[in-house]
Amino acid sequence: MSDFYAEKIETALQSYMSDHPATSTRQQAISTILENWFASHGYLPPQQEGLRPEDLDASNDD
C-alpha cells in the first residue's frame, strides 16, 4: 500500500473513532468497520435486534 493511501486510511480511521466515542481502541474500530462492511456486502448475516422489553406485549407472543 502506498504511503498516500496509508495516510488517507489513517485519517479516515481517526475520523471514524472521533465520530464513535464508544470505539475506544484502534483495533476495535477496525473490527467494527470490517464487521459492518462484511454484513452489508453479504459476507456476514446482518445483525438483528429484537424488540426492546418495553415494546413487548401479548401481541408479540406466538
Side-chain angles (χ1 to χ4, degrees):
M1 182 182 314
S2 72
D3 289 338
F4 176 72
Y5 285 112
E7 186 176 323
K8 286 176 66 173
I9 290 171
E10 187 60 37
T11 300
L13 184 58
Q14 292 303 318
S15 294
Y16 179 89
M17 291 176 69
S18 294
D19 290 345
H20 298 85
T23 307
S24 58
T25 67
R26 189 174 196 279
Q27 183 170 341
Q28 185 179 23
I30 292 169
S31 179
T32 301
I33 291 164
L34 287 172
E35 184 176 339
N36 290 337
W37 188 91
F38 285 136
S40 69
H41 287 81
Y43 296 103
L44 283 174
Q47 295 176 349
Q48 297 180 5
E49 290 187 26
L51 292 174
R52 296 181 179 275
E54 60 268 18
D55 295 333
L56 292 174
D57 59 30
S59 68
N60 305 121
D61 294 341
D62 286 333

